[in-house]
Amino acid sequence: MLSVKRITKVFNPGTVIENIVLKDLSLSLEAGDFVTLIGGNGSGKSTLLNCIAGVYPVEAGAIIIDGVDVTKFREPKRAAILGRVFQEPMLGTASNMGIEENLALALRRGQRRGLKWGISNKEREKYRELLTTLELGLENRLSTKVGLLSGGQRQALTLLMATLKEPKLLLLDEHTAALDPKTAQKVLEMSDLIVREHDLTTLMVTHNMRDAIQYGNRLIMMHEGRIILDIRGEEKKNLAVEDLLRRFGNASGEEFVDSDALLA
Amino acid sequence: MTIGVYITYRILNIADLTVEGSITTGAAIAAVSITHGINPYLSVLFALFGGMAAGLITALLHVKLKIPALLSGILTMIALYSVNLRIMGKSNIPLLRVNTVYTVMENLGLSRQTAVMILGLIVVLGFVGILYWFFGTEIGCAIRATGNNPQMVRAQGINTNTMISIGLIISNGLVAVSGALIAQYQSFADIQMGIGSIVIGLASVIIGEVLFGKRSFFSRLVGLALGAITYRIIITLVLQLGMSPNDLKLFTAITVAVALSLPVFRSYLIPIKASTTRESSNAQRKKNNKGV
Ligand SMILES: Nc1ncnc2c1ncn2[C@@H]1O[C@H](COP(=O)(O)OP(=O)(O)OP(=O)(O)O)[C@@H](O)[C@H]1O
Ligand SMILES: [Mg+2]
């Protein structure tokens, strides 16, 4: 479904602050793969997701989604087939607009927008039903401004928006990191449910090793712009956090430094 | 005009200085057309196109050449000064003893005052209606979201550059129309008439929001119109109270400065923790840049 072929991403090339963030990185996801991605701060996880989504162009390599070479596509064009949830709850929604207006924007992801009315009544019913499944009481507050929602509610809504029009690939970048542990757990379970229900190909960044092991069918670890571990299937199921730390040490020759992950 | 300023300032989150030029462009086009014997209503239509073209220039400078929005507006504004002079041929065109949109109505037996009021009302209601409809459409929603959170909008597959451009084109078109109407009302077009219009526009926007609330989009639009009228009334009052007309712009500027800084003063009194989208995206960027 996703094929990242030997991409290189350099920030500020040719300057003193030149920073090679992704180094000749390749990654391939089968349809239906739910891959968790871990790695220390600054290892390039977000950059990888942003390159896949077209936020940044890559200096070398190719990105192919569902057989289409999207390397040259700009961000809005790629968005047609991608669903994304960001770390910062503010980023995924338009806070001055209502819940239903946000959902309506998401429903039309990748479509030409014309002079038709922005929301139809039929849609509203659908939104109400979907919001009911979130069990956050949002179904009766369709016109409430999203800015008034809590971080967790916003992330749940963003998740719904990202999957409202079924994406070929779902990119979750630490989308529970800004939430309190209980809410984070809830949003994570919700994500897992949605992903499995629609059998979505998913790439999820997390700082929590336990979550990374528990969810998905494959685990990838990044270090300094490279993928240094790729664990799948049975082997992943039986993994323990300690194994992960040890294998990180073997693969990178360093001790794992990620304050968030150790605390988790 | 207020509505035009509102579109860029509140909806797109840009203070667009193009309006200072495009209001005069509208007046100039209308004045020249009318003195050439063109139907005054048609002249307003021409003014609309002229203003839209000005908006397009600013949009191109901003989204294609990546010049900051404020500077793009200033550049177009300056350029328009010369363009307007070219259109007008001189710095002032009187519109006496010619047919204007108002005289057409006066001929129907209305007094000048009523003609202005009725036409003003029709235009304002017309625009409020059209804009309410437009910003409720798919494109309109996308434009509103663009001013609110461009990152999210791109993630929804919308080209934010296109949306900003459409917004700038519409707003400057509207501003030019108001320029055309003002010129016909005051019976002249003057090269200087645009100066300070952005501030007057902002003043009206803010008064509208403070007095008439910002609940629904519709009430906001109506509030804008009322805000502009209130602004006029306030100005008339302070003039009657003996303020020199020369001090008027200073007075307006101070009013707007105070109104814009109200949130700051308020936050001294009541600490608010809600941060705006822009702050948080800055925070996000900082986080990304912090490195290992
Ligand atoms: N827009 C940018 N411009 C310049 N450098 C950037 C930019 N975005 C990221 N970087 C740099 O790229 C490197 C990798 O950042 P990235 O955000 O991908 O890391 P990450 O693995 O997501 O880390 P974290 O766990 O902290 O989210 C960092 O050194 C960062 O400073
Ligand atoms: Mg990151």
Side-chain angles (χ1 to χ4, degrees):
Chain A
M1 186 55 82
L2 168 73
S3 171
V4 173
K5 288 186 180 156
R6 309 193 59 172
I7 61 167
T8 297
K9 177 69 213 164
V10 187
F11 283 114
N12 308 303
T15 67
V16 278
I17 49 166
E18 179 176 278
N19 186 358
I20 307 176
V21 179
L22 300 179
K23 291 161 195 151
D24 203 16
L25 183 146
S26 295
L27 169 69
S28 166
L29 262 62
E30 300 299 320
D33 263 355
F34 182 177
V35 179
T36 55
L37 174 57
I38 53 176
N41 294 116
S43 55
K45 307 178 296 293
S46 299
T47 306
L48 173 61
L49 263 59
N50 281 328
C51 286
I52 295 173
V55 178
Y56 309 129
V58 291
E59 271 67 40
I63 295 164
I64 292 147
I65 304 174
D66 198 24
V68 182
D69 186 339
V70 299
T71 320
K72 294 259 156 20
F73 289 10
R74 301 250 300 274
E75 186 184 358
K77 192 162 177 196
R78 289 193 210 185
I81 47 175
L82 295 177
R84 281 152 76 196
V85 184
F86 312 96
Q87 172 171 355
E88 182 59 53
M90 295 288 183
L91 289 183
T93 46
S95 54
N96 288 346
M97 297 172 74
I99 294 177
E100 55 178 15
E101 286 178 312
N102 273 277
L103 285 165
L105 280 171
L107 184 71
R108 290 164 179 76
R109 182 158 44 77
Q111 282 174 20
R112 261 189 86 87
R113 284 157 214 260
L115 293 176
K116 279 205 299 281
W117 199 242
I119 310 175
S120 70
N121 280 329
K122 209 171 99 204
E123 274 168 65
R124 266 198 196 99
E125 275 319 302
K126 180 173 167 189
Y127 298 154
R128 201 165 280 136
E129 268 169 40
L130 284 168
L131 288 168
T132 313
T133 62
L134 296 185
E135 294 173 7
L136 293 170
L138 296 181
E139 60 275 12
N140 300 319
R141 302 170 60 189
L142 279 181
S143 55
T144 304
K145 295 250 157 66
V146 174
L148 300 174
L149 303 184
S150 71
Q153 287 173 327
R154 275 180 157 217
Q155 287 306 68
L157 178 64
T158 312
L159 192 64
L160 198 60
M161 286 167 60
T163 50
L164 193 55
K165 178 166 177 279
E166 199 162 297
K168 297 231 191 288
L169 179 66
L170 179 62
L171 300 173
L172 307 172
D173 189 357
E174 292 188 55
H175 66 306
T176 60
L179 310 176
D180 66 79
K182 221 176 114 218
T183 318
Q185 195 55 39
K186 211 174 156 196
V187 172
L188 204 56
E189 276 162 19
M190 202 180 284
S191 316
D192 187 46
L193 204 72
I194 293 179
V195 167
R196 283 190 297 158
E197 190 182 354
H198 299 277
D199 206 15
L200 296 173
T201 314
T202 304
L203 189 54
M204 176 173 94
V205 178
T206 171
H207 262 290
N208 188 319
M209 293 208 174
R210 227 168 284 146
D211 291 340
I213 294 170
Q214 185 188 343
Y215 295 98
N217 63 338
R218 187 172 159 197
L219 183 151
I220 286 174
M221 184 183 266
M222 277 181 75
H223 179 62
E224 292 177 351
R226 293 197 177 87
I227 293 175
I228 55 164
L229 280 182
D230 188 344
I231 307 168
R232 319 175 187 219
E234 280 305 306
E235 192 187 358
K236 171 172 178 292
K237 272 190 205 137
N238 304 323
L239 210 61
V241 174
E242 293 72 36
D243 300 331
L244 212 48
L245 288 172
R246 190 170 36 74
R247 291 184 61 171
F248 172 82
N250 293 342
S252 69
E254 286 176 34
E255 192 115 353
F256 190 82
V257 266
D258 183 340
S259 45
D260 299 345
L262 288 179
L263 283 175
Chain B
M1 188 192 91
T2 307
I3 296 181
V5 172
Y6 172 79
I7 292 178
T8 47
Y9 184 66
R10 277 291 190 242
I11 299 188
L12 286 178
N13 216 341
I14 294 175
D16 175 27
L17 283 166
T18 318
V19 297
E20 302 247 322
S22 51
I23 191 166
T24 317
T25 306
I29 292 177
V32 171
S33 315
I34 290 174
T35 46
H36 281 80
I38 291 172
N39 179 308
Y41 291 97
L42 208 56
S43 79
V44 176
L45 192 67
F46 290 162
L48 174 72
F49 292 139
M52 290 168 88
L56 177 67
I57 301 292
T58 305
L60 290 177
L61 290 174
H62 177 45
V63 305
K64 287 285 178 229
L65 303 181
K66 310 277 178 232
I67 300 172
L70 196 62
L71 199 53
S72 303
I74 293 177
L75 289 174
T76 317
M77 170 187 91
I78 299 289
L80 280 178
Y81 189 87
S82 301
V83 174
N84 293 338
L85 265 180
R86 282 271 173 199
I87 296 174
M88 292 166 63
K90 52 190 176 194
S91 59
N92 188 299
I93 300 182
L95 285 175
L96 300 166
R97 283 180 295 283
V98 288
N99 265 335
T100 67
V101 283
Y102 307 107
T103 52
V104 174
M105 294 180 74
E106 281 172 50
N107 294 342
L108 296 174
L110 297 169
S111 77
R112 170 125 188 127
Q113 208 64 33
T114 355
V116 170
M117 292 244 299
I118 290 182
L119 200 74
L121 206 65
I122 293 175
V123 170
V124 166
L125 286 182
F127 277 144
V128 167
I130 291 174
L131 289 176
Y132 178 69
W133 164 76
F134 179 72
F135 283 106
T137 64
E138 292 171 347
I139 293 187
C141 284
I143 295 179
R144 280 192 289 147
T146 300
N148 194 192
N149 183 353
Q151 180 166 359
M152 167 266 189
V153 170
R154 280 192 292 273
Q156 301 306 336
I158 298 165
N159 188 330
T160 44
N161 286 346
T162 314
M163 296 305 138
I164 292 175
S165 305
I166 297 178
L168 284 171
I169 290 171
I170 295 180
S171 70
N172 280 292
L174 291 183
V175 169
V177 166
S178 62
L181 294 177
I182 291 171
Q184 299 183 42
Y185 166 66
Q186 62 187 17
S187 301
F188 65 87
D190 189 279
I191 191 70
Q192 305 277 6
M193 65 186 278
I195 296 178
S197 52
I198 178 97
V199 179
I200 296 174
L202 287 180
S204 310
V205 168
I206 293 162
I207 294 173
E209 286 184 349
V210 170
L211 293 185
F212 306 100
K214 26 178 165 176
R215 287 176 304 275
S216 71
F217 190 64
F218 189 69
S219 70
R220 272 174 170 230
L221 283 175
V222 176
L224 288 178
L226 296 178
I229 296 169
T230 316
Y231 171 77
R232 285 284 153 213
I233 297 174
I234 294 175
I235 294 301
T236 321
L237 281 181
V238 294
L239 286 179
Q240 273 174 3
L241 289 176
M243 194 171 82
S244 151
N246 294 339
D247 297 336
L248 207 57
K249 294 224 153 91
L250 179 65
F251 173 78
T252 309
I254 293 174
T255 317
V256 173
V258 170
L260 284 178
S261 53
L262 274 183
V264 179
F265 292 127
R266 206 175 294 147
S267 67
Y268 279 127
L269 302 174
I270 323 154
I272 22 178
K273 51 176 190 219
S275 63
T276 67
T277 319
R278 203 167 345 145
E279 277 160 5
S280 65
S281 66
N282 280 342
Q284 172 80 6
R285 214 167 300 136
K286 269 186 217 124
K287 181 189 172 287
N288 283 341
N289 285 336
K290 80 182 176 219
V292 187

